[in-house]
């Protein structure tokens, strides 16, 4: 909901997953505005969580869903208080105030979050500079789709600087002459820029605001304080059902680092993966299975067969990526760069991945077909006249 919130299309009440009445009706005691400090003891005897005010809540199982923190830029000035990051509602509120017509905004990082912020900022009339040294998403959607996505920035008036940021500094040291050549007054901004972004190709970008979107790091603080196995900077080590090294303690979502037999340790930062990991942990808790049971083994291996899926929205385009959209035989439905279109991948005749752009309900059908590993001939797949929704409806439920 970050896009809608930044654009002012919803207010803060509109992004709540549930209101307090829902928690009450679901028999969930909600403790808001207070942090969990750590989990203590172990199931089944004396497991509990300790809150920051010292309260102790006994529990049969504890699930850590502490998510992540925005990564800081590891350069001189990367810790300046003036910089924006986007992770919390407070971050969004502060950033929203900066995204006004004419304001000079530098977005550092053109990945999922940086690109979406650049898109929103430009929609809101800000003068946006995006600094990104690589072609983002190339490894996930392939070169041509990644190129088209990245070029949308320029097509929408964003200046793209293909370089890395090496320093950020306040503009106080800038001379009067520099200010007049680089800055000047802007309707939304101050008369002189507040910050300077120095790039690896020697440019000095004078701007009013800098938004850093260079990824997230898992928030493992509670796990560490609870004595659980954590790989620093990578996440809380869990099995397929979300079980940590602490008896009765699970970790799910962005903070969890799964052991995967083929891929090694993996961590996802996507909503769908977080939701699925929650379901697996809930199933394991609800069935009360121990690590040795067969059902537990099932939960443990479910994630190995799940098809990753995420979406991103920018400049009015809705992009969905399912499975491995880069490897295998390539089938293009429509024309890359002329939405709606899709690039699909087949391995041994079975659908293994796809990237879809603006396909609406057909995009959802593609997702189901990929999840099912459906065998659909390349000719049929590539023909926009083929009704993929009808094919998906025929899949066994
Ligand atoms: C700006 C932005 C845009 C995104 N856009 C997309 C998108 O378009 N598509 C997509 O698939 N994914 C997107 N994501 C990723 C998605 O939001 C995450 O994968 C998902 O929210 C992870 O859920 P989670 O429950 O693990 O963590 P979070 O949603 O991060 O929730 C963690 C919660 O734990 C709380 N917490 C942390 N520590 C404590 C503590 N000690 N005590 C109590 N509470 C604590 C935090 O305050 C927070 O509310 C986006 C993320 C961001 C930041």
């Amino acid at each position: 909901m970050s896009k809608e919130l930044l654009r002012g299309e919803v207010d803060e009440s509109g992004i709540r997953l549930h209101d307090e009445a829902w928690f009450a009706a679901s028999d969930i005691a909600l403790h808001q505005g207070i942090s969990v400090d750590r989990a203590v003891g172990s199931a089944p005897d004396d497991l509990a969580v300790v809150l920051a005010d010292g309260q102790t809540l006994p529990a049969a199982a504890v699930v850590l869903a502490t998510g992540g923190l925005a990564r800081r830029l590891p350069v001189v000035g990367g810790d300046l208080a003036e910089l924006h990051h986007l992770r919390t509602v407070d971050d969004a509120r502060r950033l929203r105030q900066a995204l006004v017509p004419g304001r000079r905004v530098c977005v550092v990082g053109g990945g999922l979050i940086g690109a979406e912020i650049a898109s929103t900022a430009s929609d809101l009339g800000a003068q946006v500079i995006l600094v990104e040294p690589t072609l983002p998403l190339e490894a996930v959607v392939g070169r041509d789709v990644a190129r088209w996505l990245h070029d949308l920035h320029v097509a929408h008036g964003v200046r793209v600087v293909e370089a890395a940021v090496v320093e950020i500094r306040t503009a106080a040291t800038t001379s009067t002459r520099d200010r007049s050549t680089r800055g000047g007054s802007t309707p939304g901004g101050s008369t002189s820029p507040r910050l300077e972004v120095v790039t690896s190709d020697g440019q000095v970008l004078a701007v009013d605001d800098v938004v850093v979107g260079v990824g997230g790091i898992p928030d493992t603080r509670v796990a560490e304080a609870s004595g659980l196995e954590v790989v620093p900077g990578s996440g809380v080590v869990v099995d397929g059902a979300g079980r940590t090294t602490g008896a009765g303690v699970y970790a799910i979502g962005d903070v969890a680092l799964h052991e995967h037999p083929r891929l090694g340790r993996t961590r996802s930062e996507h909503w769908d993966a977080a939701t699925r990991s929650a379901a697996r942990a809930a199933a394991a808790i609800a069935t009360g299975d121990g690590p040795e049971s067969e059902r537990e083994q099932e939960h443990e291996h479910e994630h190995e067969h799940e098809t990753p899926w995420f979406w991103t929205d920018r400049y009015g385009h809705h992009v969905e990526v399912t499975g491995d959209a880069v490897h295998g035989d390539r089938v293009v439905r429509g024309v890359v760069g002329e939405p709606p279109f899709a690039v699909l991948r087949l391995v041994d005749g079975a659908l293994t991945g796809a990237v879809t752009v603006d396909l609406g309900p057909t995009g959802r059908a593609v997702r189901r077909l990929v999840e099912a590993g459906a065998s659909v001939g390349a000719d049929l797949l590539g023909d926009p006249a083929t009704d993929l929704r009808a094919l998906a409806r025929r899949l066994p439920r």
Side-chain angles (χ1 to χ4, degrees):
M1 301 305 288
S2 49
K3 280 73 80 175
E4 291 84 348
L5 187 64
L6 284 182
R7 277 201 294 267
E9 290 167 5
V10 294
D11 61 15
E12 290 175 25
S13 64
I15 62 163
R16 298 184 64 163
L17 292 178
H18 300 293
D19 60 17
E20 286 176 20
W22 180 90
F23 285 99
S26 308
D27 203 14
I28 296 170
L30 187 61
H31 296 256
Q32 277 187 296
I34 181 145
S35 300
V36 167
D37 199 45
R38 64 192 186 282
V40 290
S42 59
D45 306 321
D46 57 353
L47 185 61
V49 292
V50 180
L51 303 186
D53 65 358
Q55 259 189 93
T56 299
L57 309 175
V62 171
V63 182
L64 301 181
T66 50
L69 305 166
R71 188 185 296 280
R72 269 34 187 175
L73 201 59
V75 300
V76 173
D79 53 357
L80 285 174
E82 290 92 334
L83 304 189
H84 291 273
H85 298 84
L86 184 56
R87 189 82 215 182
T88 65
V89 172
D90 285 344
D91 294 339
R93 194 182 295 132
R94 189 169 154 246
L95 181 56
R96 175 81 187 90
Q97 283 162 6
L99 301 184
V100 293
R103 188 96 158 184
R104 292 157 297 197
V105 176
C106 176
V107 179
V108 183
L112 289 173
I113 289 177
E116 290 180 359
I117 293 169
S119 159
T120 305
S122 126
D123 286 352
L124 291 169
Q127 293 175 25
V128 184
I129 304 174
L130 176 66
V131 184
E132 166 60 60
T134 70
L135 180 58
L137 295 185
E138 185 178 0
V140 186
V141 296
R143 188 163 185 80
D144 55 353
V145 179
R147 185 78 261 163
W148 171 72
L149 280 170
H150 201 47
D151 287 349
L152 286 175
H153 296 299
V154 173
H156 286 80
V158 170
R159 180 178 156 205
V160 175
V161 174
E162 290 186 13
V165 169
V166 294
E167 183 184 347
I168 303 176
R169 58 194 184 216
T170 55
T173 52
T174 312
S175 70
T176 313
R177 185 173 159 276
D178 281 351
R179 259 188 233 139
S180 60
T181 52
R182 292 185 190 137
S185 97
T186 62
S190 52
T191 47
S192 52
R194 289 196 310 151
L195 294 163
E196 290 180 339
V197 178
V198 185
T199 60
S200 53
D201 59 358
Q203 298 190 59
V204 179
L205 310 168
V207 293
D208 301 306
D209 288 278
V210 175
V211 193
V212 178
V214 293
I217 51 167
D219 186 349
T220 54
R221 289 172 295 184
V222 175
E224 283 166 50
S226 308
L228 306 174
E229 185 183 349
V230 167
V231 177
S234 297
V236 184
V237 177
V238 297
D239 66 15
R243 179 174 282 105
T244 70
T245 49
V249 184
Y250 295 73
I252 60 169
D254 283 12
V255 79
L257 184 64
H258 292 271
E259 198 64 69
H260 193 289
R262 266 182 304 112
L263 307 173
R265 285 181 168 169
T266 60
R267 191 175 73 85
S268 171
E269 289 186 9
H270 298 306
W271 177 88
D272 182 60
T275 308
R276 291 185 196 216
S277 70
R280 287 196 306 272
I285 293 167
T287 53
D289 292 342
E292 308 303 326
S293 79
E294 268 181 37
R295 282 164 87 182
E296 173 55 29
Q297 297 286 326
E298 275 170 32
H299 299 314
E300 189 139 354
H301 294 289
E302 261 170 34
H303 74 299
E304 294 163 23
H305 310 293
E306 284 177 0
T307 308
W309 171 78
F310 71 91
W311 77 93
T312 178
D313 295 297
R314 60 181 77 172
Y315 304 109
H317 296 294
H318 179 72
V319 182
E320 295 189 25
V321 183
T322 309
D324 179 351
V326 175
H327 300 99
D329 300 330
R330 185 174 193 267
V331 178
V332 178
R333 191 178 162 96
V335 178
V336 172
E338 295 178 21
F341 70 89
V343 177
L344 305 115
R345 295 286 177 170
L346 294 164
V347 173
D348 297 332
L351 256 177
T352 47
V355 49
T356 65
V357 179
D358 295 344
L359 276 191
T362 301
R364 284 194 285 283
V366 169
R367 180 181 173 195
R368 289 196 51 219
L369 290 165
V370 173
E371 282 176 343
S375 293
V376 186
D379 290 352
L380 273 180
L381 269 183
D383 182 355
T386 305
D387 186 348
L388 297 179
R389 296 168 70 189
L391 290 183
R393 275 197 294 272
R394 274 186 238 142
L395 290 170
R397 294 252 166 203

